[in-house]
Amino acid sequence: QELQLQQPVYDPFGNDDDEGNANDSIAENGVFQSLNTSNISVPVDLDDTPPESPQKAMVNDLNKSYSYESEGKESEASAPESNASTAPESIAEPDELEPEPVPEPEPEPEPTRHLDVSLALNEDLTCEYKQSKLSTLTVEGTIQVRMSSSYEGEPPLEAPSSIPFNLLFKDHSGHVRTLQENKKFVENVSNESETANREFTYTVTIPREEEYFPVVRYKCDSSLRPVPIRVQSRVRTQGKICRIALQISSNPQNPSDLVHLTVIMGVPPGLNGESLKCNPPGGVWNESKRVVLWCVSELGGGEKFQLQAILEMSDDLLQSGVDPADRLEFPVMSRCQCVGGQLSDVALDVSDVEMFPAAISKNVMQRFRVSHKEKK
């Protein structure tokens, strides 16, 4: 007789953990029989944690069947743990993100320092003529500096009281014979190559701003013979009258007008200074120095003018028996200035010192003075 096999119905909502369920059965020889639990010893589990339910176990199994890759994707795990060759890899922990470095704050830019350097180049010409021929001539020069500083922005708290700078002295024409620096304010830092090219570098440090200080002086060689002005004289006598004529000429090559021109003429004894008459008028008699003085505001390049002085001779001079024109000498000295020009070819330049960087500007003022003597 054919047996009707009853399939056990699985109730997902049933309580599989209920030990009192008598309907549990096992299949033996194809026949489901009731399970006799009287002869089965159940091991005592000291852990009182209740066993997992089938639903929870199923969820755990599903979780174990997948591993999380570092790319953020799910990948199917390999076979059960019993197979060592296909054991699932351990979960890769994503690398911890390193914190981005905090950029260091940029240092505040230092305020820009400006130096305004004024250079005064003064040259003095002293020459002497005898009988209209040049006898002696010397040219000497001095350099004075003045400096002022300023800052673009707030000045630093520890700004130096005096800021050094470099002065470059150039003598490419070889006019300078001797050169001397003022060691109180100047240090010579020239190297051999500069000296060979007739260039000299000095580091200048002056104690105060807005004030001129002498830093360098020099003497020129005798080969330099500038003639910015000439004075010629002629003496004539007639009876008791002595006439002295002076002609003053300006060199056409002068860079600018001669200004503050003074002409001083000495008067020898035997002439009455109080009887002075001038043509054109303007001469002044100085009794204590026995000189006649003329002052002229300016004389343009290539210009010339004449001065005439008329004096009475004393009786003693007339009775000497010698022609007074041969005995009388009237030395003449003329002094003048020329602003914006110089006699030598000296050139000046300035630059900042490496330890004290600055934007530097210069202003060069040139002037020469002439002391001209004319003797018979």
Side-chain angles (χ1 to χ4, degrees):
Q1 188 175 5
E2 189 175 356
L3 296 176
Q4 295 290 331
L5 298 179
Q6 295 178 354
Q7 294 294 332
V9 178
Y10 174 70
D11 183 6
F13 299 101
N15 187 2
D16 293 339
D17 296 334
D18 189 0
E19 294 179 358
N21 189 355
N23 296 324
D24 292 342
S25 62
I26 60 175
E28 182 178 356
N29 296 325
V31 181
F32 285 89
Q33 298 181 355
S34 300
L35 179 63
N36 186 3
T37 61
S38 60
N39 295 325
I40 298 176
S41 62
V42 180
V44 179
D45 191 357
L46 297 179
D47 187 2
D48 57 356
T49 303
E52 293 180 345
S53 63
Q55 294 86 351
K56 186 174 183 182
M58 184 182 296
V59 173
N60 291 337
D61 291 340
L62 289 173
N63 289 339
K64 291 179 180 179
S65 65
Y66 293 89
S67 62
Y68 183 79
E69 295 182 356
S70 60
E71 289 82 357
K73 299 179 180 179
E74 293 180 346
S75 62
E76 189 174 352
S78 302
E81 295 179 0
S82 60
N83 190 350
S85 62
T86 59
E89 296 180 358
S90 60
I91 298 176
E93 295 291 338
D95 296 338
E96 294 184 2
L97 296 177
E98 296 182 359
E100 294 184 359
V102 179
E104 296 182 359
E106 296 183 359
E108 295 183 0
E110 296 184 359
T112 303
R113 181 188 292 120
H114 294 271
L115 298 183
D116 184 13
V117 179
S118 297
L119 304 172
L121 189 153
N122 299 310
E123 291 183 331
D124 292 298
L125 166 66
T126 302
C127 57
E128 183 174 339
Y129 286 80
K130 289 184 177 180
Q131 297 180 353
S132 299
K133 293 183 179 181
L134 180 63
S135 175
T136 60
L137 185 148
T138 59
V139 177
E140 298 181 358
T142 59
I143 298 173
Q144 296 177 310
V145 300
R146 183 183 67 178
M147 187 269 294
S148 61
S149 62
S150 61
Y151 292 86
E152 186 176 325
E154 291 294 330
L157 297 178
E158 297 182 356
S161 58
S162 58
I163 303 170
F165 62 92
N166 289 329
L167 171 66
L168 181 60
F169 184 99
K170 302 177 184 179
D171 178 35
H172 294 163
S173 299
H175 287 165
V176 177
R177 185 182 63 189
T178 60
L179 184 63
Q180 183 179 7
E181 69 272 11
N182 186 348
K183 296 183 178 181
K184 187 176 181 180
F185 312 121
V186 177
E187 179 184 2
N188 190 341
V189 294
S190 306
N191 54 45
E192 293 182 359
S193 61
E194 291 178 336
T195 304
N197 293 329
R198 303 293 296 175
E199 295 182 357
F200 307 89
T201 303
Y202 303 97
T203 298
V204 180
T205 306
I206 55 179
R208 293 179 299 277
E209 296 188 6
E210 303 295 343
E211 186 175 343
Y212 277 100
F213 292 89
V215 292
V216 175
R217 66 179 181 181
Y218 56 94
K219 291 183 178 181
C220 293
D221 190 78
S222 59
S223 60
L224 179 63
R225 294 192 172 189
V227 185
I229 191 173
R230 276 299 312 271
V231 178
Q232 296 172 302
S233 62
R234 180 177 297 178
V235 179
R236 291 183 179 180
T237 60
Q238 184 177 4
K240 296 183 62 175
I241 302 299
C242 179
R243 299 176 182 271
I244 309 100
L246 304 178
Q247 178 171 286
I248 296 92
S249 305
S250 173
N251 194 327
Q253 298 181 356
N254 288 340
S256 61
D257 296 344
L258 301 179
V259 296
H260 305 302
L261 174 63
T262 59
V263 179
I264 303 172
M265 184 186 70
V267 178
L271 295 174
N272 183 8
E274 298 296 335
S275 64
L276 174 65
K277 294 180 181 179
C278 294
N279 186 19
V284 179
W285 166 250
N286 187 320
E287 179 66 31
S288 61
K289 296 181 179 181
R290 291 196 63 82
V291 297
V292 180
L293 174 66
W294 290 271
C295 294
V296 180
S297 59
E298 64 181 17
L299 182 62
E303 294 183 354
K304 63 178 65 175
F305 68 96
Q306 292 184 351
L307 299 173
Q308 188 176 28
I310 302 173
L311 295 168
E312 293 183 359
M313 295 182 289
S314 64
D315 295 337
D316 295 338
L317 182 59
L318 293 173
Q319 294 175 1
S320 61
V322 181
D323 186 358
D326 296 333
R327 297 178 52 189
L328 298 176
E329 293 186 5
F330 298 89
V332 178
M333 175 181 289
S334 60
R335 294 174 179 172
C336 62
Q337 299 183 17
C338 182
V339 179
Q342 61 187 81
L343 303 171
S344 69
D345 291 338
V346 168
L348 304 175
D349 203 354
V350 293
S351 64
D352 59 339
V353 177
E354 183 178 358
M355 295 293 293
F356 298 88
I360 192 167
S361 61
K362 69 171 181 177
N363 178 34
V364 181
M365 294 176 290
Q366 303 160 309
R367 182 185 68 169
F368 67 81
R369 296 178 293 190
V370 179
S371 178
H372 179 105
K373 293 181 181 180
E374 187 87 22
K375 290 185 178 181
K376 185 177 179 180

Coordinates of all heavy atoms in Angstrom, one line a residue, residues 127-196:
C127 N 94.6 131.1 -11.2 CA 95.6 131.3 -12.2 C 96.2 132.7 -12.1 O 95.7 133.6 -11.6 CB 95.0 131.1 -13.6 SG 93.6 132.2 -14.0
E128 N 97.5 132.8 -12.7 CA 98.2 134.0 -12.6 C 98.9 134.2 -14.0 O 99.5 133.3 -14.5 CB 99.2 134.0 -11.5 CG 100.0 135.3 -11.4 CD 100.9 135.3 -10.1 OE1 100.6 134.5 -9.2 OE2 101.9 136.1 -10.1
Y129 N 98.7 135.4 -14.5 CA 99.3 135.8 -15.7 C 100.4 136.9 -15.5 O 100.1 137.8 -14.7 CB 98.3 136.3 -16.7 CG 97.4 135.2 -17.3 CD1 96.4 134.7 -16.6 CD2 97.7 134.7 -18.6 CE1 95.6 133.7 -17.1 CE2 96.9 133.7 -19.1 CZ 95.8 133.2 -18.4 OH 95.0 132.2 -18.9
K130 N 101.5 136.8 -16.2 CA 102.5 137.9 -16.2 C 102.7 138.3 -17.6 O 103.1 137.5 -18.5 CB 103.8 137.4 -15.5 CG 103.6 137.2 -14.0 CD 105.0 136.8 -13.4 CE 104.9 136.7 -11.9 NZ 106.2 136.3 -11.3
Q131 N 102.5 139.6 -17.8 CA 102.7 140.2 -19.2 C 101.8 139.4 -20.2 O 102.3 139.0 -21.2 CB 104.1 140.2 -19.6 CG 105.0 141.1 -18.7 CD 106.4 141.2 -19.1 OE1 106.9 140.4 -20.0 NE2 107.2 142.1 -18.5
S132 N 100.6 139.1 -19.8 CA 99.6 138.4 -20.6 C 100.0 136.9 -20.9 O 99.4 136.3 -21.8 CB 99.4 139.1 -22.0 OG 98.9 140.4 -21.7
K133 N 100.9 136.4 -20.2 CA 101.3 135.0 -20.4 C 101.0 134.2 -19.1 O 101.2 134.7 -18.0 CB 102.8 134.8 -20.7 CG 103.1 135.4 -22.1 CD 104.6 135.1 -22.4 CE 105.0 135.7 -23.8 NZ 106.4 135.4 -24.1
L134 N 100.4 133.0 -19.2 CA 100.1 132.2 -18.1 C 101.3 131.8 -17.3 O 102.3 131.2 -17.9 CB 99.3 130.9 -18.6 CG 98.8 130.0 -17.5 CD1 97.8 130.7 -16.5 CD2 98.2 128.7 -18.1
S135 N 101.3 132.0 -16.0 CA 102.4 131.7 -15.2 C 102.1 130.4 -14.3 O 102.9 129.5 -14.3 CB 102.7 132.9 -14.2 OG 103.7 132.5 -13.3
T136 N 101.0 130.4 -13.6 CA 100.6 129.3 -12.8 C 99.1 129.1 -12.9 O 98.3 130.0 -13.2 CB 100.9 129.5 -11.3 OG1 100.3 130.7 -10.8 CG2 102.5 129.7 -11.1
L137 N 98.7 127.8 -12.7 CA 97.3 127.5 -12.8 C 97.0 126.2 -12.0 O 97.8 125.2 -12.1 CB 96.8 127.3 -14.2 CG 95.3 127.0 -14.5 CD1 94.9 127.6 -15.8 CD2 95.0 125.5 -14.4
T138 N 96.1 126.2 -11.1 CA 95.7 125.1 -10.3 C 94.2 125.0 -10.3 O 93.5 126.0 -10.3 CB 96.2 125.2 -8.9 OG1 95.7 126.4 -8.3 CG2 97.7 125.2 -8.8
V139 N 93.7 123.7 -10.3 CA 92.3 123.4 -10.2 C 92.1 122.4 -9.0 O 92.6 121.3 -9.1 CB 91.7 122.9 -11.5 CG1 90.2 122.5 -11.3 CG2 91.9 123.9 -12.6
E140 N 91.3 122.8 -8.1 CA 91.0 122.0 -6.9 C 89.5 121.8 -6.8 O 88.7 122.8 -7.1 CB 91.6 122.5 -5.6 CG 93.1 122.6 -5.6 CD 93.6 123.2 -4.3 OE1 92.8 123.5 -3.4 OE2 94.8 123.3 -4.2
G141 N 89.0 120.6 -6.4 CA 87.6 120.4 -6.3 C 87.2 119.8 -4.9 O 88.0 119.1 -4.3
T142 N 86.0 120.0 -4.5 CA 85.5 119.4 -3.3 C 84.0 118.9 -3.7 O 83.3 119.4 -4.5 CB 85.4 120.4 -2.1 OG1 84.5 121.5 -2.5 CG2 86.8 120.9 -1.8
I143 N 83.7 117.8 -3.0 CA 82.3 117.2 -3.1 C 81.7 117.2 -1.8 O 82.2 116.6 -0.8 CB 82.4 115.8 -3.7 CG1 83.0 115.8 -5.1 CG2 81.0 115.2 -3.8 CD1 83.3 114.5 -5.7
Q144 N 80.5 117.7 -1.7 CA 79.7 117.7 -0.5 C 78.4 117.0 -0.8 O 77.8 117.0 -1.9 CB 79.4 119.1 0.0 CG 80.6 119.9 0.4 CD 80.2 121.4 0.7 OE1 79.5 122.0 0.0 NE2 80.7 121.8 1.9
V145 N 77.9 116.3 0.2 CA 76.7 115.5 0.1 C 75.6 115.9 1.1 O 76.0 116.2 2.3 CB 77.0 114.0 0.1 CG1 77.9 113.5 -0.9 CG2 77.5 113.6 1.5
R146 N 74.4 115.7 0.7 CA 73.3 115.9 1.6 C 72.3 114.8 1.3 O 72.0 114.5 0.1 CB 72.6 117.3 1.5 CG 71.5 117.5 2.5 CD 70.8 118.9 2.2 NE 70.1 118.9 0.9 CZ 69.4 119.9 0.5 NH1 69.4 121.0 1.2 NH2 68.8 119.8 -0.7
M147 N 71.7 114.2 2.4 CA 70.8 113.0 2.1 C 69.6 113.2 3.0 O 69.6 113.6 4.1 CB 71.5 111.7 2.5 CG 70.8 110.5 2.1 SD 69.7 109.9 3.5 CE 70.9 109.4 4.7
S148 N 68.4 112.8 2.4 CA 67.2 112.7 3.2 C 66.5 111.4 2.8 O 66.6 110.9 1.7 CB 66.2 113.9 2.8 OG 65.9 113.8 1.4
S149 N 65.9 110.7 3.8 CA 65.2 109.4 3.6 C 63.7 109.5 3.9 O 63.3 110.4 4.6 CB 65.8 108.4 4.6 OG 65.6 108.8 5.9
S150 N 63.0 108.6 3.2 CA 61.5 108.5 3.4 C 61.1 107.1 3.2 O 61.9 106.3 2.6 CB 60.8 109.5 2.5 OG 61.1 109.2 1.1
Y151 N 59.9 106.8 3.6 CA 59.4 105.4 3.4 C 58.0 105.4 2.8 O 57.2 106.3 3.0 CB 59.3 104.7 4.8 CG 60.6 104.4 5.4 CD1 61.3 105.4 6.2 CD2 61.3 103.2 5.2 CE1 62.5 105.1 6.8 CE2 62.5 102.9 5.8 CZ 63.1 103.9 6.6 OH 64.3 103.6 7.2
E152 N 57.8 104.4 1.9 CA 56.5 104.2 1.3 C 55.7 103.3 2.2 O 55.9 102.1 2.2 CB 56.7 103.6 -0.1 CG 55.4 103.5 -0.8 CD 55.6 103.0 -2.3 OE1 56.6 103.4 -2.8 OE2 54.7 102.3 -2.8
G153 N 54.8 103.9 3.0 CA 54.2 103.1 4.1 C 54.7 103.5 5.4 O 55.5 104.4 5.6
E154 N 54.3 102.7 6.4 CA 54.8 103.0 7.8 C 56.3 102.6 7.9 O 56.7 101.6 7.5 CB 54.0 102.2 8.8 CG 52.6 102.6 8.9 CD 52.4 104.0 9.5 OE1 53.3 104.4 10.3 OE2 51.5 104.7 9.2
P155 N 57.1 103.5 8.4 CA 58.5 103.2 8.6 C 58.7 102.1 9.7 O 57.9 102.0 10.6 CB 59.1 104.6 9.1 CG 58.0 105.3 9.7 CD 56.8 104.9 8.9
P156 N 59.8 101.3 9.6 CA 60.0 100.3 10.5 C 60.3 100.9 11.9 O 60.7 102.0 12.1 CB 61.3 99.6 10.0 CG 61.9 100.6 9.1 CD 60.8 101.4 8.5
L157 N 60.0 100.1 12.9 CA 60.1 100.5 14.3 C 61.6 100.8 14.6 O 61.9 101.7 15.4 CB 59.5 99.5 15.3 CG 58.0 99.3 15.2 CD1 57.6 98.2 16.1 CD2 57.3 100.5 15.4
E158 N 62.5 100.0 14.0 CA 63.9 100.2 14.3 C 64.6 100.7 13.1 O 65.6 100.1 12.6 CB 64.5 98.8 14.7 CG 63.9 98.3 16.0 CD 64.5 97.0 16.4 OE1 65.4 96.5 15.7 OE2 64.2 96.4 17.5
A159 N 64.2 101.8 12.6 CA 64.8 102.4 11.4 C 66.2 103.0 11.9 O 66.3 103.7 12.9 CB 63.9 103.5 10.8
P160 N 67.3 102.8 11.1 CA 68.6 103.3 11.4 C 68.5 104.9 11.4 O 67.9 105.5 10.5 CB 69.5 102.7 10.4 CG 68.6 102.4 9.3 CD 67.3 102.0 9.8
S161 N 69.3 105.5 12.3 CA 69.4 106.9 12.3 C 70.1 107.5 11.1 O 69.7 108.6 10.6 CB 70.1 107.4 13.6 OG 71.4 106.8 13.7
S162 N 71.1 106.8 10.6 CA 71.8 107.2 9.4 C 71.9 106.0 8.5 O 72.4 105.0 8.9 CB 73.2 107.8 9.8 OG 73.9 106.9 10.4
I163 N 71.6 106.2 7.2 CA 71.6 105.2 6.2 C 72.7 105.4 5.3 O 72.8 106.4 4.6 CB 70.3 105.1 5.5 CG1 69.1 105.0 6.5 CG2 70.2 104.0 4.5 CD1 67.8 105.2 5.8
P164 N 73.7 104.4 5.2 CA 74.8 104.6 4.2 C 74.4 104.4 2.8 O 73.4 103.8 2.5 CB 75.8 103.5 4.7 CG 74.9 102.5 5.3 CD 73.7 103.2 5.9
F165 N 75.2 104.9 1.9 CA 75.0 104.7 0.5 C 76.4 104.8 -0.2 O 77.4 105.2 0.4 CB 74.0 105.8 -0.1 CG 74.5 107.2 0.0 CD1 75.3 107.8 -1.0 CD2 74.3 108.0 1.1 CE1 75.8 109.1 -0.9 CE2 74.7 109.3 1.2 CZ 75.5 109.8 0.2
N166 N 76.4 104.4 -1.4 CA 77.7 104.4 -2.2 C 77.8 105.6 -3.1 O 76.8 105.9 -3.8 CB 77.8 103.1 -3.0 CG 78.0 101.9 -2.1 OD1 78.6 102.0 -1.1 ND2 77.6 100.7 -2.6
L167 N 79.0 106.2 -3.1 CA 79.3 107.3 -4.0 C 80.3 106.8 -5.0 O 81.4 106.3 -4.6 CB 79.8 108.5 -3.3 CG 80.4 109.6 -4.1 CD1 79.3 110.3 -4.9 CD2 81.0 110.7 -3.2
L168 N 80.0 106.9 -6.3 CA 80.9 106.5 -7.4 C 81.6 107.7 -8.0 O 80.8 108.6 -8.5 CB 80.2 105.7 -8.4 CG 81.1 105.1 -9.6 CD1 82.2 104.2 -9.0 CD2 80.2 104.4 -10.6
F169 N 82.9 107.8 -7.9 CA 83.7 108.9 -8.5 C 84.4 108.5 -9.8 O 85.2 107.5 -9.7 CB 84.7 109.4 -7.5 CG 85.5 110.6 -7.8 CD1 85.2 111.9 -7.4 CD2 86.6 110.5 -8.7 CE1 85.9 113.0 -7.7 CE2 87.3 111.6 -9.0 CZ 87.0 112.8 -8.5
K170 N 84.0 109.1 -10.9 CA 84.6 108.7 -12.2 C 85.5 109.8 -12.8 O 85.1 110.9 -12.8 CB 83.4 108.4 -13.2 CG 82.4 107.4 -12.7 CD 81.3 107.2 -13.7 CE 80.3 106.2 -13.2 NZ 79.2 106.1 -14.2
D171 N 86.7 109.4 -13.2 CA 87.6 110.3 -13.8 C 88.2 109.6 -15.0 O 89.4 109.3 -15.1 CB 88.8 110.6 -12.8 CG 89.8 111.5 -13.4 OD1 89.5 112.4 -14.2 OD2 91.0 111.4 -13.0
H172 N 87.4 109.4 -16.0 CA 87.8 108.7 -17.2 C 88.8 109.5 -18.1 O 89.5 108.9 -18.8 CB 86.5 108.4 -18.1 CG 85.6 107.4 -17.4 ND1 84.3 107.2 -17.7 CD2 85.9 106.5 -16.3 CE1 83.8 106.2 -17.0 NE2 84.7 105.8 -16.1
S173 N 88.7 110.8 -17.9 CA 89.7 111.7 -18.7 C 91.0 111.8 -18.1 O 92.0 112.4 -18.7 CB 89.1 113.1 -18.9 OG 87.9 113.0 -19.6
G174 N 91.2 111.3 -16.8 CA 92.5 111.4 -16.2 C 92.9 112.8 -15.7 O 94.1 113.1 -15.7
H175 N 91.9 113.6 -15.4 CA 92.2 115.0 -15.0 C 92.7 115.1 -13.6 O 93.4 116.0 -13.2 CB 90.9 115.9 -15.2 CG 90.6 116.2 -16.6 ND1 89.4 116.7 -17.0 CD2 91.4 116.1 -17.7 CE1 89.4 116.9 -18.3 NE2 90.6 116.5 -18.8
V176 N 92.3 114.1 -12.7 CA 92.6 114.2 -11.3 C 94.0 113.6 -11.0 O 94.3 112.5 -11.5 CB 91.5 113.4 -10.5 CG1 91.8 113.4 -9.0 CG2 90.1 114.0 -10.7
R177 N 94.7 114.4 -10.3 CA 96.1 114.0 -9.9 C 96.1 113.3 -8.5 O 96.7 112.3 -8.3 CB 97.0 115.1 -9.9 CG 98.5 114.8 -9.6 CD 99.4 116.0 -9.6 NE 99.0 116.9 -8.5 CZ 99.4 118.1 -8.3 NH1 100.3 118.6 -9.2 NH2 99.0 118.9 -7.3
T178 N 95.4 113.9 -7.6 CA 95.3 113.4 -6.2 C 93.9 113.4 -5.8 O 93.1 114.3 -6.1 CB 96.2 114.2 -5.2 OG1 95.7 115.5 -5.2 CG2 97.6 114.1 -5.6
L179 N 93.5 112.4 -5.0 CA 92.1 112.2 -4.5 C 92.2 111.8 -3.1 O 92.9 110.8 -2.7 CB 91.4 111.1 -5.4 CG 89.9 110.9 -5.1 CD1 89.1 112.1 -5.4 CD2 89.5 109.7 -6.0
Q180 N 91.4 112.5 -2.2 CA 91.4 112.2 -0.8 C 90.0 112.2 -0.2 O 89.2 113.1 -0.5 CB 92.3 113.2 -0.1 CG 92.4 113.0 1.4 CD 93.3 114.0 2.1 OE1 93.7 115.0 1.5 NE2 93.6 113.8 3.4
E181 N 89.7 111.2 0.5 CA 88.3 111.1 1.1 C 88.4 111.6 2.6 O 89.4 111.5 3.2 CB 87.8 109.7 1.0 CG 88.5 108.7 1.9 CD 89.7 108.0 1.2 OE1 90.1 108.5 0.2 OE2 90.2 107.0 1.8
N182 N 87.2 112.0 3.0 CA 87.1 112.4 4.4 C 86.7 111.2 5.2 O 85.6 110.7 5.2 CB 86.0 113.5 4.6 CG 85.9 114.0 6.0 OD1 86.5 113.5 6.9 ND2 85.1 115.1 6.1
K183 N 87.7 110.6 5.9 CA 87.6 109.4 6.6 C 86.6 109.4 7.8 O 86.2 108.4 8.3 CB 88.9 108.9 7.1 CG 89.9 108.5 6.0 CD 91.2 108.0 6.5 CE 92.1 107.7 5.3 NZ 93.4 107.1 5.7
K184 N 86.2 110.6 8.1 CA 85.2 110.7 9.2 C 83.8 110.3 8.8 O 83.0 109.7 9.5 CB 85.1 112.2 9.7 CG 84.3 112.4 10.9 CD 84.3 113.9 11.3 CE 83.5 114.1 12.6 NZ 83.5 115.5 13.0
F185 N 83.5 110.4 7.5 CA 82.2 110.0 6.9 C 82.3 109.0 5.8 O 81.3 108.5 5.3 CB 81.5 111.3 6.4 CG 81.5 112.4 7.4 CD1 82.0 113.6 7.0 CD2 80.9 112.3 8.6 CE1 82.0 114.7 7.9 CE2 80.9 113.4 9.5 CZ 81.4 114.6 9.1
V186 N 83.5 108.7 5.3 CA 83.7 108.0 4.1 C 84.6 106.8 4.3 O 85.6 106.9 5.0 CB 84.3 108.9 3.0 CG1 84.5 108.1 1.7 CG2 83.3 110.0 2.7
E187 N 84.3 105.7 3.6 CA 85.2 104.5 3.6 C 85.4 104.1 2.1 O 84.4 104.0 1.3 CB 84.5 103.3 4.3 CG 85.4 102.0 4.2 CD 84.7 100.8 4.9 OE1 83.5 101.0 5.3 OE2 85.3 99.8 4.9
N188 N 86.7 104.0 1.7 CA 87.0 103.6 0.4 C 86.8 102.1 0.2 O 87.5 101.3 0.8 CB 88.5 104.0 0.1 CG 88.8 103.9 -1.4 OD1 88.2 103.2 -2.1 ND2 89.9 104.6 -1.8
V189 N 85.9 101.7 -0.7 CA 85.7 100.3 -1.0 C 86.0 100.0 -2.5 O 85.4 99.0 -3.0 CB 84.2 99.9 -0.6 CG1 84.0 100.1 0.9 CG2 83.2 100.8 -1.4
S190 N 86.8 100.7 -3.1 CA 87.2 100.5 -4.5 C 88.0 99.2 -4.6 O 88.7 98.8 -3.8 CB 88.0 101.7 -5.0 OG 87.3 102.9 -4.8
N191 N 87.8 98.5 -5.8 CA 88.6 97.3 -6.1 C 89.5 97.7 -7.2 O 89.5 98.8 -7.8 CB 87.7 96.2 -6.5 CG 86.7 96.5 -7.6 OD1 87.1 97.1 -8.6 ND2 85.4 96.1 -7.5
E192 N 90.4 96.7 -7.5 CA 91.5 97.0 -8.4 C 90.9 97.3 -9.8 O 91.5 98.1 -10.5 CB 92.4 95.8 -8.5 CG 93.2 95.6 -7.2 CD 94.2 94.4 -7.3 OE1 94.2 93.8 -8.3 OE2 94.9 94.2 -6.3
S193 N 89.9 96.5 -10.3 CA 89.4 96.8 -11.6 C 88.8 98.2 -11.8 O 89.0 98.8 -12.8 CB 88.4 95.7 -11.9 OG 87.3 95.8 -11.0
E194 N 88.1 98.6 -10.7 CA 87.6 100.0 -10.8 C 88.7 101.0 -10.8 O 88.6 102.0 -11.6 CB 86.7 100.2 -9.5 CG 85.4 99.4 -9.5 CD 84.6 99.7 -8.3 OE1 85.2 100.0 -7.3 OE2 83.4 99.5 -8.3
T195 N 89.7 100.8 -10.0 CA 90.8 101.8 -10.0 C 91.5 101.9 -11.3 O 91.9 102.9 -11.8 CB 91.8 101.4 -8.9 OG1 91.1 101.4 -7.6 CG2 92.9 102.5 -8.8
A196 N 91.6 100.7 -12.0 CA 92.3 100.7 -13.3 C 91.5 101.5 -14.3 O 92.0 102.0 -15.2 CB 92.5 99.3 -13.7

